[in-house]
Amino acid sequence: MKNELIKPKGLVTNTNRRNFLKFGTMSVAGAGLLLMGCNDDEDMMPPMMNEGVSLGSGDIGILNYAYALEQLEAAFYANVIAGGYFANASAEEKTIMGDLEKHERAHRDFFKAALGSAAIADLEVDFSSIDFSSRTSVLGAAKTFEDLGVAAYNGAGQFIENVDYLLIAGKIVSVEARHAAAIRDLINPGSDDFAGDDLIDSNGLERTLGFTEVLTAASTYVKTPIDFSQLPS
């Protein structure tokens, strides 16, 4: 059958869907010590702003960029877990959302620890446009965040100079891509949306987004001004 040829079976069953998420996170955890020394140089600290945060420049700026996005995603899933949708969700969806919350929290905490004194401050978020009691609203927002995260890492990778940082970014984006696929499969089970034409081009490559595109999209949910003017272009 056509669907059997083009759709991985890992997105079909409830049990395999969770395993699909779990293995990606293990790969990140296995490489998690690589960044822990990246804040040794005091000169790498991003400049302070009177209001808002400045990401800084070079690799530290890109790591702060990733940290900002992980803060946003971690805060979102924390609200999901505390919301009415989660309380009334199926056992399968509670498990998946719980896993996603743990993954994004781990990513956020990892970047914060790795950046040390070079890390930007905690961002103030605004999720007033999301109804956390509504499955449709929550999954739609999750799709937006996960797709944005994957495109952001894909776009930033070309500018990372340190190969250890690039390795970590590759491992994290693979987890984000698993998240995006799982959310899309929850929204439209059994379909090909997990790798839809809105994400994958005719060459089989996923879309990329630049710093301006990503942070403009994220600004809907982030109240803290973010200065990314020193990031490469």
Side-chain angles (χ1 to χ4, degrees):
M1 293 178 64
K2 183 179 179 181
N3 286 345
E4 291 176 346
L5 292 173
I6 64 175
K7 183 175 177 61
K9 293 181 180 179
L11 292 179
V12 176
T13 66
N14 296 351
T15 301
N16 286 341
R17 189 186 279 122
R18 188 183 185 193
N19 288 337
F20 176 71
L21 295 172
K22 179 177 68 175
F23 293 134
T25 302
M26 290 169 61
S27 70
V28 175
L33 295 178
L34 287 176
L35 280 178
M36 295 310 292
C38 79
N39 61 321
D40 290 342
D41 190 346
E42 290 294 330
D43 293 335
M44 300 176 97
M45 291 182 63
M48 299 297 293
M49 295 176 61
N50 291 331
E51 294 184 3
V53 297
S54 174
L55 299 182
S57 61
D59 282 353
I60 294 301
I62 295 173
L63 295 181
N64 266 320
Y65 169 69
Y67 177 41
L69 297 176
E70 297 298 350
Q71 283 194 50
L72 177 62
E73 290 187 286
F76 167 71
Y77 285 108
N79 277 270
V80 171
I81 298 302
Y85 151 68
F86 183 82
N88 298 301
S90 67
E92 176 202 3
E93 293 190 16
K94 283 184 177 180
T95 297
I96 291 173
M97 290 298 169
D99 286 346
L100 267 58
E101 188 276 331
K102 286 185 286 188
H103 297 174
E104 301 297 1
R105 177 160 38 92
H107 292 169
R108 178 201 64 198
D109 293 348
F110 169 73
F111 278 114
K112 183 174 183 177
L115 283 160
S117 59
I120 59 172
D122 293 346
L123 302 177
E124 183 180 359
V125 297
D126 178 7
F127 297 131
S128 59
S129 62
I130 302 170
D131 180 359
F132 287 97
S133 66
S134 164
R135 181 180 188 272
T136 299
S137 182
V138 168
L139 294 184
K143 176 175 175 288
T144 295
F145 289 134
E146 298 296 352
D147 288 351
L148 185 66
V150 175
Y153 277 101
N154 286 343
Q158 63 184 306
F159 299 111
I160 298 175
E161 297 180 358
N162 185 300
V163 293
D164 289 338
Y165 302 169
L166 184 60
L167 173 63
I168 287 293
K171 289 180 175 294
I172 291 179
V173 73
S174 70
V175 176
E176 299 291 350
R178 289 171 185 263
H179 291 180
I183 291 295
R184 283 170 167 258
D185 197 57
L186 286 178
I187 293 172
N188 197 1
S191 73
D192 298 327
D193 286 355
F194 73 96
D197 292 340
D198 58 325
L199 296 178
I200 312 299
D201 66 21
S202 59
N203 295 314
L205 300 177
E206 188 152 358
R207 68 171 181 160
T208 65
L209 291 176
F211 301 119
T212 299
E213 295 169 295
V214 170
L215 292 174
T216 297
S219 67
T220 301
Y221 309 98
V222 178
K223 297 180 69 174
T224 306
I226 299 176
D227 176 10
F228 59 98
S229 60
Q230 296 183 63
L231 293 183
S233 59

